[in-house]
Amino acid sequence: AEGRAGAARAGLEALVGDLGALAERLGGGGQTPQEARAALLERVSRASVEGLQANEPLAEALGEVQDLLTLMVRYLRDVELWAQLQVPPVSDGNNFGVDVQASCIALVQDRRQKARLAFETLSEWHWQRGNAIEKFASQTVSAPGPGPTRKTYDYVEDFRMFVVGLDVKAQFDAYDSCNRAMADIVVCLDTLEKNREKVEQPRGSGGNVTLMY
């Protein structure tokens, strides 16, 4: 477990840089939601149903964010397991270090769960966008006489704006997820470093420990 925890620590440090670079792309150099909306409107044309193309650049970026969040969850789980294996047997007294250790484990666990939740939130964008486009795109009407039904495209501008709004929300959700993940990784690593002795040897140096560093 200690070997995996050390590799996880190095992986988390590398993730900070990867998340920062991706956040820079998603943030568009400080682009405001209104500016992002104006750019995305061009991808949601009302001229024809063929104009309702998928937002492939955003889909690719969200996939990259999810890949990094998956790595973050895995690395934090390895660190959490390592820390849990340092928990000493229950005994009376001398539990201050054990309490600090438990606090560090709880922190890592909380940040891991938040990363997983961010992953799940980003996954909802395709479903939400598909439902919005279905309302925006077409309507089935009956043709006169016994002939087959046909589709007509009676666009409602608010539906078009709703599709664009979902894209803007997803873009900034992904941007926020990157920044939050970076902050959470830094906090976890900093907390573990500051409390390294208590995590590895919660009751002092008398017991057997497995070092992370």
Side-chain angles (χ1 to χ4, degrees):
E2 61 269 25
R4 290 179 62 180
R9 178 181 181 273
L12 288 168
E13 291 174 345
L15 271 183
V16 173
D18 294 338
L19 286 163
L22 191 49
E24 182 66 23
R25 280 172 49 197
L26 286 163
Q31 188 181 50
T32 67
Q34 188 64 22
E35 290 168 341
R37 183 177 293 107
L40 288 167
L41 272 171
E42 298 178 4
R43 299 193 61 84
V44 186
S45 169
R46 58 181 175 176
S48 68
V49 70
E50 287 77 17
L52 297 172
Q53 56 188 304
N55 191 333
E56 294 179 0
L58 182 56
E60 181 180 351
L62 263 61
E64 291 180 43
V65 175
Q66 288 183 311
D67 286 346
L68 296 181
L69 289 173
T70 299
L71 286 175
M72 179 179 171
V73 168
R74 189 178 78 190
Y75 292 149
L76 289 179
R77 184 180 291 112
D78 287 343
V79 171
E80 182 184 339
L81 174 61
W82 164 80
Q84 288 173 332
L85 291 175
Q86 312 312 309
V87 176
V90 176
S91 65
D92 294 332
N94 194 22
N95 284 323
F96 174 72
V98 177
D99 291 341
V100 173
Q101 184 188 61
S103 177
C104 291
I105 293 173
L107 172 68
V108 172
Q109 189 176 61
D110 176 70
R111 298 307 191 268
R112 175 174 61 79
Q113 291 171 344
K114 287 181 177 179
R116 183 179 178 87
L117 179 61
F119 179 99
E120 294 172 354
T121 299
L122 294 177
S123 298
E124 296 173 359
W125 170 67
H126 282 292
W127 181 83
Q128 293 171 341
R129 194 176 196 271
N131 280 338
I133 286 179
E134 183 181 30
K135 292 180 174 63
F136 167 52
S138 64
Q139 178 183 4
T140 301
V141 296
S142 297
T149 59
R150 60 185 177 85
K151 285 187 175 181
T152 183
Y153 303 100
D154 297 324
Y155 294 97
V156 178
E157 184 65 11
D158 280 339
F159 280 135
R160 177 174 179 245
M161 296 300 296
F162 181 46
V163 172
V164 173
L166 288 174
D167 285 357
V168 172
K169 179 180 182 299
Q171 178 177 331
F172 281 87
D173 280 349
Y175 172 75
D176 186 57
S177 293
C178 287
N179 285 310
R180 285 176 179 269
M182 281 192 295
D184 287 345
I185 289 172
V186 170
V187 168
C188 285
L189 293 177
D190 182 65
T191 301
L192 288 168
E193 179 61 29
K194 287 177 178 176
N195 297 282
R196 175 177 166 184
E197 183 179 349
K198 288 292 188 293
V199 174
E200 294 179 342
Q201 304 177 42
R203 291 207 174 101
S205 57
N208 294 324
V209 296
T210 52
L211 302 182
M212 179 181 179
Y213 303 96

